[in-house]
Amino acid sequence: MQTVSQTVPEDRRPFRFVIYALTIAMCVICYGDRAALSVGMPQIAHEFALTPGETGWVLSSFLWSYFILNLPGAILLDRFGVRIIGAAAVALWSIAMILGSLTATVPAFIATRILLGVGEAPTFALGNKVVRAWAPLHERGLMMTAFICGIPIGLACGAASGGWLIAHYGWRPAFSLLGALGLVWSAIWLLTHPRPARGPAATPFALISVPTLFRSPAFWGIVIAQCCANYANFLLMSWLPIIMRQTLHLDLAQSGAYTAYCYVGAAIISITAGKIGETLVRRSDLSQGSRRKVVCLYLVLASSMGFLPLCTSAGTIIPLLAISMAFMAGGTGANMALLADLLVEDEILGSVTGLTLTFSNGLGILAPVMTGYLLEATGNFHGVFYITGLIILCGALAAALLPRRPFHGRLQPDHTT
């Protein structure tokens, strides 16, 4: 059987940290933009006279296009490379942020959020493709966790800076400034990332075989784990400032700050978790799915989110959320590294990641909407977190049982005749 690539070219090794830093910065900007919406949602809901149920739909609107375009965006990524697609994607969603600040009606605002989802669709596939191309084998889990750490860092920065800007200047200027930041990143990425190789040495473009992937239990184990973790991720990134505000009776700026504390704590803990995870599997055969044990363990720890209704003070809510989100980041980082470990064909990793995220973001779309309706029905978030804790445990079980051997993403020749 063909094996996955385990080495990085010598001429790329010192420069890989620059690429890592820029890729993490992309993730930070992406999630900072998302956090700005959740922090500014009280102002936006008041301005547009939205009910809690309607607020849930607005919060989930970027996911509609994000979900649909995960796979097409990843296919374009495999076709045109991370340099061009990365710059174009970030520029597109940044323009969407700026346009959102100029809207005067709910449909127009939702349209800009859908455009933002179009730009953000290739983000995670790009991160996984960069890590596989640049990271040595036993650095993949740590670097994928570092990339996913951009989620809590971005949400912390977006919540804190967005909360301050929105409280002092309104949500429209905050959206415009964040959009401008993304445009700057796009220019830097184009100037910094090496141009792809030309000629015979270039990696050929190939399409995935969905039936081949669907026959693989390992693929489904990775997908289910990612789906369950993403449900919790999208719940928190959409509703956490509002949860903080309602539970602890905070004003807008305070809810942004408290949300930031959770994400900063999660970022610090998740990097440590990523390093520990790599240590745990250092002597294991990663091509046989040994990393699944880390995914399972970390998702079990992340399910502690289900105990949140028992917490009533900032001193208990913030540490519990930080720990839960940290192990969610560590678990999803290890899960994406597990995908890179087990997929035989290097050249279609972006597309397979995109297909994985199509499933996981499909479930993620439900989280903001279900949360809005549960809040409207019960008046609190208790049921939301009990359900979420159980969903994360289902992901841990799938990770433990299914991803045990390498799998192909393309049709293989039949050698039986």
Side-chain angles (χ1 to χ4, degrees), residues 51-129:
T51 67
E54 292 168 339
T55 298
W57 283 105
V58 172
L59 286 168
S60 71
S61 56
F62 88 94
L63 287 170
W64 306 343
S65 54
Y66 185 71
F67 159 66
I68 293 169
L69 294 175
N70 275 146
L71 180 55
I75 291 172
L76 288 175
L77 181 66
D78 283 339
R79 175 66 181 86
F80 295 105
V82 297
R83 180 175 177 270
I84 296 299
I85 296 301
V90 178
L92 181 60
W93 91 56
S94 300
I95 291 169
M97 286 290 291
I98 295 169
L99 291 176
S101 71
L102 304 175
T103 56
T105 65
V106 173
F109 183 73
I110 288 176
T112 66
R113 300 307 295 180
I114 292 171
L115 182 63
L116 181 139
V118 174
E120 291 190 353
T123 303
F124 260 76
L126 187 146
N128 208 10
K129 201 168 177 71

Side-chain angles (χ1 to χ4, degrees), residues 20-36 90 93-94 97 120 123-124 145-159 161 178 181-182 185 263 267:
Y20 291 162
L22 284 171
T23 309
I24 294 167
M26 177 193 67
C27 192
V28 169
I29 295 169
C30 174
Y31 282 86
D33 290 352
R34 297 186 193 184
V90 178
W93 91 56
S94 300
M97 286 290 291
E120 291 190 353
T123 303
F124 260 76
T145 298
F147 170 68
I148 291 175
C149 236
I151 297 176
I153 295 171
L155 292 170
C157 294
S161 61
L178 288 169
L181 179 62
W185 183 94
Y263 286 127

Side-chain angles (χ1 to χ4, degrees), residues 6 17 20 97 116 148 169 215 265 296 301 320 335 386 416:
Q6 298 192 16
F17 295 104
Y20 291 162
M97 286 290 291
L116 181 139
I148 291 175
Y169 302 105
R215 287 194 294 268
C296 176
L301 293 172
L320 179 62
N335 198 46
Y386 294 142
T416 61

Side-chain angles (χ1 to χ4, degrees), residues 59-293:
L59 286 168
S60 71
S61 56
F62 88 94
L63 287 170
W64 306 343
S65 54
Y66 185 71
F67 159 66
I68 293 169
L69 294 175
N70 275 146
L71 180 55
I75 291 172
L76 288 175
L77 181 66
D78 283 339
R79 175 66 181 86
F80 295 105
V82 297
R83 180 175 177 270
I84 296 299
I85 296 301
V90 178
L92 181 60
W93 91 56
S94 300
I95 291 169
M97 286 290 291
I98 295 169
L99 291 176
S101 71
L102 304 175
T103 56
T105 65
V106 173
F109 183 73
I110 288 176
T112 66
R113 300 307 295 180
I114 292 171
L115 182 63
L116 181 139
V118 174
E120 291 190 353
T123 303
F124 260 76
L126 187 146
N128 208 10
K129 201 168 177 71
V130 167
V131 168
R132 175 142 176 179
W134 290 83
L137 184 61
H138 281 282
E139 197 173 273
R140 281 182 189 165
L142 177 60
M143 292 321 304
M144 214 39 225
T145 298
F147 170 68
I148 291 175
C149 236
I151 297 176
I153 295 171
L155 292 170
C157 294
S161 61
W164 187 87
L165 285 168
I166 292 166
H168 288 80
Y169 302 105
W171 65 272
R172 295 179 187 274
F175 276 39
S176 294
L177 286 172
L178 288 169
L181 179 62
L183 293 176
V184 171
W185 183 94
S186 293
I188 294 172
W189 181 255
L190 272 178
L191 293 171
T192 303
H193 194 282
R195 293 178 180 272
R198 300 292 181 186
T203 301
F205 173 66
L207 289 174
I208 63 172
S209 167
V210 173
T212 301
L213 287 167
F214 281 9
R215 287 194 294 268
S216 168
F219 173 74
W220 283 114
I222 292 167
V223 166
I224 293 169
Q226 199 70 20
C227 283
C228 295
N230 245 19
Y231 183 92
N233 279 329
F234 283 115
L235 160 65
L236 292 175
M237 77 177 65
S238 301
W239 281 96
L240 184 54
I242 300 170
I243 292 168
M244 286 289 191
R245 192 172 186 182
Q246 178 173 314
T247 305
L248 299 175
H249 310 291
L250 307 172
D251 62 29
L252 190 147
Q254 287 175 321
S255 68
Y258 279 45
T259 299
Y261 298 154
C262 294
Y263 286 127
V264 169
I268 294 169
I269 297 169
S270 62
I271 287 293
T272 304
K275 183 64 176 176
I276 292 171
E278 287 301 282
T279 302
L280 291 174
V281 299
R282 183 167 295 278
R283 299 182 183 278
S284 303
D285 184 359
L286 298 181
S287 67
Q288 299 302 312
S290 297
R291 211 187 295 268
R292 72 183 184 279
K293 300 171 185 175

Side-chain angles (χ1 to χ4, degrees), residues 384-402:
V384 170
F385 285 104
Y386 294 142
I387 292 168
T388 303
L390 289 173
I391 288 172
I392 298 171
L393 284 175
C394 290
L397 183 63
L401 298 178
L402 297 176

